[in-house]
Amino acid sequence: MNRIDVPATAALLPRAWSSRVLGRVGTAAVKVLRMDGLPLQEERHEHAEALLVLDGRLDLRVAGVAVSLGPGELYVVPAGVPHAVAAGSRGTLVIVEVDETG
């Protein structure tokens, strides 16, 4: 499968913040998820991850600094850097991250 309707795929997800792998590129997984306005606790990852907002708004705290992204904007969270999603983040998000399992 080469062509994917990303917004339609996100709309079919059973709940917000559950993700679906759209595809893999090397060791990276490309995922989509829906944000529902609820915050997510701080986390950090061994590898960098790219966050692309398709629609809506993503508000983050990255190493204590507020970062706000709108449609079409991409942010790369460096490896090991703490980050959390702030309340109010809504819309469709694509995440590209290393997938050790895949």
Side-chain angles (χ1 to χ4, degrees):
M1 173 166 64
N2 292 328
R3 183 181 291 199
I4 299 168
D5 184 332
V6 178
T9 302
L12 293 174
L13 290 169
R15 64 188 181 285
W17 298 111
S18 67
S19 64
R20 175 166 178 209
V21 175
L22 301 173
R24 299 183 191 286
V25 180
T27 61
V30 180
K31 300 177 178 182
V32 65
L33 60 84
R34 284 183 297 107
M35 302 176 284
D36 68 351
L38 295 176
L40 288 181
Q41 291 184 349
E42 185 176 275
E43 61 183 3
R44 62 180 77 211
H45 307 285
E46 183 178 336
H47 301 280
E49 69 178 351
L51 308 172
L52 172 64
V53 177
L54 291 186
D55 60 71
R57 180 139 222 93
L58 173 62
D59 293 312
L60 298 168
R61 289 246 12 116
V62 181
V65 176
V67 175
S68 192
L69 303 171
E73 293 185 313
L74 173 77
Y75 188 85
V76 177
V77 180
V81 173
H83 57 286
V85 176
S89 297
R90 293 187 177 282
T92 308
L93 182 65
V94 172
I95 299 174
V96 180
E97 63 186 3
V98 171
D99 183 2
E100 306 280 345
T101 66

